[in-house]
Amino acid sequence: MDLSELGAFLKSRRDRVRPSEVGLATGPRRRVPGLRRDEVAGLAGASTDYYVELEQGRGVQPSEQMLAVLSRALRLTSDERNHLYHLAGRPLPPVHGVAAHVHPGMLDLLDRLPHTPAQVITDLSATLTQNRLARALLGPPAAETGLEASFIYQWFTDPSVRDLYHPDEHDHQSQVFVADMRAIASRRAKDPEIIALTEKLLRKSAEFAELWGRREVAVRRADRKRLIHPLVGEIELTCLSLLSEDGTQRLLWFTPAPGSHAVEQLELLSVVGEQEIKAAD
């Protein structure tokens, strides 16, 4: 562990990132070419004082979760992310799961969709990062970690998560989730994470067990969703997905049909939802 070098490395990466690359405005009175310390802290969900201490090498050893969000905020490559973990004396995170490193290309595409709800998820539907409109539409990521962070797990074990979907959609979504998970299990054969998730769901959900037994397989690439939002009501959107080259991550984005009522609903959500988020922050 080398906290002094960790701080110097963070500063060097901060200086490299342009505000526009992370969705921040570039004002005429900026004194630094890269990000300010308070901006990095905001992107990472940390206090400015905490981040300043990290850069000065006198803070506490950052957690693995904090290292993960800093890696995303600073747009680190996989090699740079690994170096950061080594400097902090933390074990490298697994390829899968909520601590996985978001592919830089996925983050770049996400930044280019400021007016479209979009998020990056793992192949098992754990949210890694999302833009503000996705947060306004879908809510923030669940606080759970491990297998419980998977939306598939939540769908079959926590009835409240289905409140976001129109009741007529529940059966269809269950079928889509299980067929997609079958495809993942085939690709990740003998992977401990997929085995553990499957066994846990088979024990906890009779619905999942019944669908799993059908052995239907279909990668989820596009789907029509009818969501129930507390601010804008029922909204119908097309959910599209782009898979990373290794299939471990997906960029999801939600689009309304041209000229549909959903266009106005998203416009309203972009204003009202943002105000709700700012009030909560």
Side-chain angles (χ1 to χ4, degrees):
M1 179 173 61
D2 188 341
L3 294 183
S4 177
E5 180 58 29
L6 181 143
F9 183 66
L10 286 175
K11 182 181 184 305
S12 71
R13 300 306 88 183
R14 172 171 65 84
D15 291 342
R16 181 190 62 179
V17 181
R18 298 296 181 265
S20 59
E21 295 176 333
V22 293
L24 298 175
T26 303
R29 303 175 67 180
R30 294 187 68 89
R31 297 180 179 178
V32 294
L35 298 178
R36 299 192 299 263
R37 289 172 173 174
D38 63 302
E39 291 172 332
V40 177
L43 292 169
S47 70
T48 301
D49 288 343
Y50 174 83
Y51 181 75
V52 168
E53 289 185 352
L54 283 182
E55 277 205 5
Q56 293 177 345
R58 57 185 178 86
V60 296
Q61 183 184 24
S63 67
E64 294 173 33
Q65 182 181 13
M66 178 55 63
L67 293 173
V69 294
L70 283 172
S71 297
R72 296 168 193 169
L74 295 172
R75 297 299 194 265
L76 301 188
T77 66
S78 295
D79 291 337
E80 291 171 334
R81 186 280 311 263
N82 292 349
H83 182 60
L84 184 66
Y85 274 74
H86 289 315
L87 291 175
R90 297 291 189 183
L92 295 181
V95 176
H96 308 290
V98 292
H101 186 56
V102 183
H103 290 286
M106 292 287 192
L107 284 175
D108 182 62
L109 287 172
L110 185 68
D111 290 339
R112 297 174 187 274
L113 297 170
H115 306 299
T116 301
Q119 60 184 12
V120 179
I121 65 172
T122 68
D123 55 358
L124 294 179
S125 298
T127 301
L128 297 175
T129 186
Q130 58 186 176
N131 63 18
R132 281 189 171 267
L133 194 50
R135 184 179 171 188
L137 176 67
L138 305 171
E144 288 80 6
T145 59
L147 298 179
E148 288 76 10
S150 165
F151 189 73
I152 301 173
Y153 177 85
Q154 297 165 21
W155 180 266
F156 288 103
T157 61
D158 182 0
S160 68
V161 304
R162 301 193 182 196
D163 293 344
L164 179 62
Y165 287 75
H166 192 283
D168 293 345
E169 294 283 305
H170 291 181
D171 290 344
H172 169 71
Q173 293 301 325
S174 294
Q175 294 167 17
V176 168
F177 281 135
V178 176
D180 184 67
M181 188 168 159
R182 267 284 181 190
I184 297 168
S186 176
R187 177 174 55 80
R188 292 172 58 183
K190 299 183 180 180
D191 186 300
E193 184 186 41
I194 188 68
I195 292 173
L197 179 59
T198 303
E199 292 178 346
K200 198 166 187 176
L201 285 173
L202 287 171
R203 292 195 306 268
K204 288 182 169 288
S205 172
E207 179 190 16
F208 177 86
E210 192 276 327
L211 291 171
W212 189 255
R214 296 182 188 181
R215 290 176 168 78
E216 295 179 355
V217 181
V219 176
R220 181 164 57 109
R221 294 185 175 90
D223 198 12
R224 200 75 175 168
K225 295 183 182 291
R226 291 166 65 194
L227 305 178
I228 307 297
H229 193 277
L231 293 176
V232 300
E234 181 179 333
I235 179 170
E236 185 170 351
L237 300 166
T238 297
C239 177
L240 300 167
S241 65
L242 175 68
L243 279 65
S244 62
E245 186 175 356
D246 60 5
T248 61
Q249 296 179 13
R250 300 174 180 182
L251 173 67
L252 300 183
W253 69 99
F254 300 80
T255 62
S260 68
H261 180 48
V263 174
E264 299 176 358
Q265 289 174 296
L266 279 185
E267 291 176 352
L268 175 62
L269 191 60
S270 68
V271 176
V272 180
E274 288 289 338
Q275 292 175 349
E276 292 284 334
I277 292 172
K278 291 177 181 178
D281 291 343

